[in-house]
Amino acid sequence: MAIATKSSIAFLLISSLLLAPYLSVSEATVDAPVPIVSGLSWTFYQNSCPTLEFIVRNYLMSVFSTDIGQAAGLLRLHFHDCFVQGCDASVLLDGSASGPGEQQAPPNLSLRARAFEIIDELRNRIENTCGRVVSCSDIVALAARDSVYLSGGPYYGVPLGRRDGLTFATLNVTLQNLPPPTANASTILSMLATKNFDPTDVVALSGGHTIGLSHCTSFTGRLYPTQDPTMDQTFANNLKVICPTTNSTNTTVLDIRSPNIFDNKYYVDLMNRQGLFTSDQDLYTNSTTRGIVTSFALNQSLFFEKFAVAMIKMGQLSVLTGNNGEIRANCSVRNAGNKSYLASAVEELPVEEARSEF
Ligand code: HEM
Ligand SMILES: *[C@@H]1O[C@H](CO)[C@@H](O)[C@H](O)[C@H]1NC(C)=O
Ligand SMILES: *[C@@H]1O[C@H](CO)[C@@H](O)[C@H](O)[C@H]1NC(C)=O
Ligand SMILES: *[C@@H]1O[C@H](CO)[C@@H](O)[C@H](O)[C@H]1NC(C)=O
Ligand SMILES: *[C@@H]1O[C@H](CO)[C@@H](O)[C@H](O)[C@H]1NC(C)=O
Ligand SMILES: *[C@@H]1O[C@H](CO)[C@@H](O)[C@H](O)[C@H]1NC(C)=O
Ligand SMILES: *[C@@H]1O[C@H](CO)[C@@H](O)[C@H](O)[C@H]1NC(C)=O
Ligand SMILES: *[C@@H]1O[C@H](CO)[C@@H](O)[C@H](O)[C@H]1NC(C)=O
Ligand SMILES: *[C@@H]1O[C@H](CO)[C@@H](O)[C@H](O)[C@H]1NC(C)=O
Ligand SMILES: *[C@@H]1O[C@H](CO)[C@@H](O)[C@H](O)[C@H]1NC(C)=O
């Protein structure tokens, strides 16, 4: 299955050159065979919102031209959305039905506030052009793909047609589904195996850590009270300057070689014992995954291909399609919780009307 057309790539390259010549854009297009779940399609918004992908890409190019760091925030948002209760935009919901929900779980506390705003801004732009037809979960998936691509990574097609969830994810469900950075390879492999990811997928997805930042508290357990012996000594010394105590509020880059470029240097870091988290470094320590790390460090095209395959898989985890879920009018709240939406929906039937087109 061809995942990207030549003309869409030509548009990407030309518009990238015109509008953001300093962004590092690779020419890699991944043409990978990945099964698509029923209800999603490559052409879902072809009639109802043909300019969807251009709107997303052009807006993100303008955001990234002043702050490429936001690409990492958007990529991580998609990962958190999909791993917890499926790619249903539950990660975007404010508050919860009762008690703390997904947003209150420790992993959320370091999601970038700006990433949530960018999704809202994209949603507003899309609604202005196409009406309320595109789900927040599809917007998150497209934003993650363009974040990868506009940072220098592979371009891959995103099957669309996700619907936004009606249920909050509980704190426990969130914690059970997002592995902690202290986990070893064995734990990461078995947690991700429950979602049908094989070791190649796991190593490839972890390559998302080729861009972005971490807070000290996510890794100072490897520095204090005793230093993790698998960590390179110079790297450890530098981290101790950045994070003088276990609870330091500082941040540092995930990939010291090329922190803002989506490339295969993360795997080179691991081979040099400069992985930031145990969950990263143990992929090289453990013999089950070590060879995969090495192969990605030696061959960036291979990494890009496997990453794209794993992302398309991740983007389809427990998706809602067809008549399930809804198209939210505000990514932070369910339509049922929005009195003005209910009032307008009676008059305009916007969701059903839009859906009858496909
Ligand atoms: C395999 C298990 C994973 C673990 C244990 C993990 C853990 C973490 C942690 C602890 C942080 C730093 C949070 C902070 O302290 O601010 C982080 C950041 C990040 N993660 Fe992961 N992660 C995993 C998988 C993934 C996947 C699958 C992706 C995407 C494909 C991803 C993309 C990112 C990105 C881009 C950042 C930087 C975010 C930013 O700069 O705002 N991670 N991850
Ligand atoms: C979850 O993270 C987002 C982004 O930082 C933030 O807007 C939201 O308030 C957080 N939720 C809680 C309860 O901290
Ligand atoms: C959540 O998990 C904690 C500890 O793992 C447990 O004590 C608690 O009962 C769980 N709560 C729910 C609602 O499942
Ligand atoms: C990995 O971590 C788990 C949970 O902490 C532990 O039970 C297991 O022994 C560890 N495995 C290895 C090979 O270190
Ligand atoms: C490596 O991971 C495998 C698969 O999860 C596990 O069985 C093994 O114990 C791990 N080996 C080491 C040395 O951690
Ligand atoms: C934060 O890290 C920077 C290096 O990235 C370091 O120069 C600075 O001293 C650190 N700040 C604190 C408060 O530790
Ligand atoms: C941070 O840790 C230091 C010791 O490492 C401790 O003295 C201090 O009270 C801690 N601060 C907070 C806010 O927890
Ligand atoms: C690198 O990986 C690509 C993609 O799988 C493959 O086509 C190519 O032959 C590999 N290159 C080398 C030198 O092994
Ligand atoms: C979306 O919902 C949030 C949370 O209820 C609210 O704060 C925000 O103002 C809403 N946005 C718009 C454009 O109505
Ligand atoms: C409620 O729905 C309307 C559309 O009918 C939307 O413009 C508004 O942002 C929503 N407000 C909240 C708080 O969700």
Side-chain angles (χ1 to χ4, degrees):
M1 158 86 56
I3 299 184
T5 62
K6 283 213 173 74
S7 62
S8 71
I9 292 300
F11 173 85
L12 275 168
L13 292 175
I14 291 164
S15 55
S16 303
L17 289 172
L18 291 176
L19 298 175
Y22 36 86
L23 292 178
S24 162
V25 174
S26 78
E27 296 188 34
T29 300
V30 171
D31 191 358
V34 187
I36 302 309
V37 305
S38 140
L40 295 185
S41 120
W42 301 106
T43 54
F44 195 82
Y45 299 110
Q46 196 166 57
N47 299 321
S48 59
C49 193
T51 54
L52 169 62
E53 302 202 21
F54 295 146
I55 299 170
V56 173
R57 189 172 309 129
N58 282 326
Y59 186 59
L60 290 183
M61 282 197 303
S62 84
V63 170
F64 298 162
S65 70
T66 54
D67 186 2
I68 189 64
Q70 299 307 331
L74 289 166
L75 176 57
R76 189 169 183 233
L77 189 64
H78 182 45
F79 158 56
H80 280 215
D81 183 26
C82 292
F83 265 56
V84 182
Q85 194 175 283
C87 315
D88 63 352
S90 58
V91 70
L92 303 179
L93 290 174
D94 282 342
S96 66
S98 64
E102 198 167 340
Q103 287 206 347
Q104 278 75 21
N108 173 67
L109 301 178
S110 57
L111 288 172
R112 295 190 195 216
R114 183 76 188 112
F116 293 82
E117 291 166 11
I118 294 167
I119 297 299
D120 287 340
E121 289 158 9
L122 283 169
R123 201 210 67 83
N124 290 338
R125 281 171 167 72
I126 294 161
E127 177 167 333
N128 287 343
T129 304
C130 302
R132 196 183 305 133
V133 295
V134 181
S135 64
C136 297
S137 43
D138 274 346
I139 297 170
V140 171
L142 286 173
R145 187 276 308 279
D146 283 358
S147 295
V148 168
Y149 180 69
L150 293 171
S151 301
Y155 180 87
Y156 55 88
V158 179
L160 297 168
R162 293 166 192 76
R163 309 262 299 168
D164 297 323
L166 303 173
T167 56
F168 293 93
T170 63
L171 179 67
N172 276 9
V173 165
T174 304
L175 291 175
Q176 280 157 17
N177 285 283
L178 291 170
T182 51
N184 58 32
S186 181
T187 300
I188 299 278
L189 286 168
S190 58
M191 281 182 81
L192 271 66
T194 65
K195 299 183 192 300
N196 273 321
F197 291 115
D198 65 22
T200 300
D201 296 323
V202 171
V203 175
L205 286 176
S206 298
H209 291 171
T210 180
I211 55 174
L213 300 174
S214 170
H215 291 82
C216 292
T217 47
S218 297
F219 58 83
T220 43
R222 300 183 70 203
L223 302 173
Y224 313 112
T226 44
Q227 191 190 309
D228 183 335
T230 63
M231 191 185 278
D232 170 69
Q233 188 59 53
T234 305
F235 182 60
N237 292 344
N238 292 337
L239 290 179
K240 285 174 182 168
V241 173
I242 297 167
C243 312
T245 61
T246 47
N247 54 15
S248 163
T249 56
N250 223 352
T251 59
T252 192
V253 297
L254 292 172
D255 168 14
I256 49 166
R257 286 184 167 70
S258 53
N260 292 321
I261 301 176
F262 197 103
D263 57 14
N264 65 340
K265 294 292 194 292
Y266 161 84
Y267 301 101
V268 177
D269 299 338
L270 301 189
M271 291 184 74
N272 287 282
R273 301 192 292 126
Q274 295 157 334
L276 197 57
F277 307 139
T278 300
S279 61
D280 296 318
Q281 192 57 54
D282 208 45
L283 296 173
Y284 189 66
T285 307
N286 187 297
S287 58
T288 308
T289 44
R290 183 182 188 121
I292 307 169
V293 170
T294 306
S295 71
F296 290 169
L298 295 175
N299 186 342
Q300 178 165 278
S301 305
L302 181 65
F303 164 50
F304 280 7
E305 181 184 308
K306 300 301 184 192
F307 182 78
V309 168
M311 286 297 282
I312 296 170
K313 266 171 98 167
M314 185 180 91
Q316 300 186 74
L317 286 172
S318 303
V319 290
L320 299 169
T321 60
N323 292 317
N324 296 316
E326 64 185 5
I327 306 296
R328 283 187 206 140
N330 175 336
C331 291
S332 318
V333 281
R334 297 174 299 179
N335 294 341
N338 179 343
K339 292 196 176 68
S340 71
Y341 172 83
L342 291 174
S344 72
V346 172
E347 301 270 319
E348 302 165 23
L349 295 174
V351 174
E352 288 314 313
E353 207 165 76
R355 292 198 61 254
S356 67
E357 284 180 39
F358 33 79

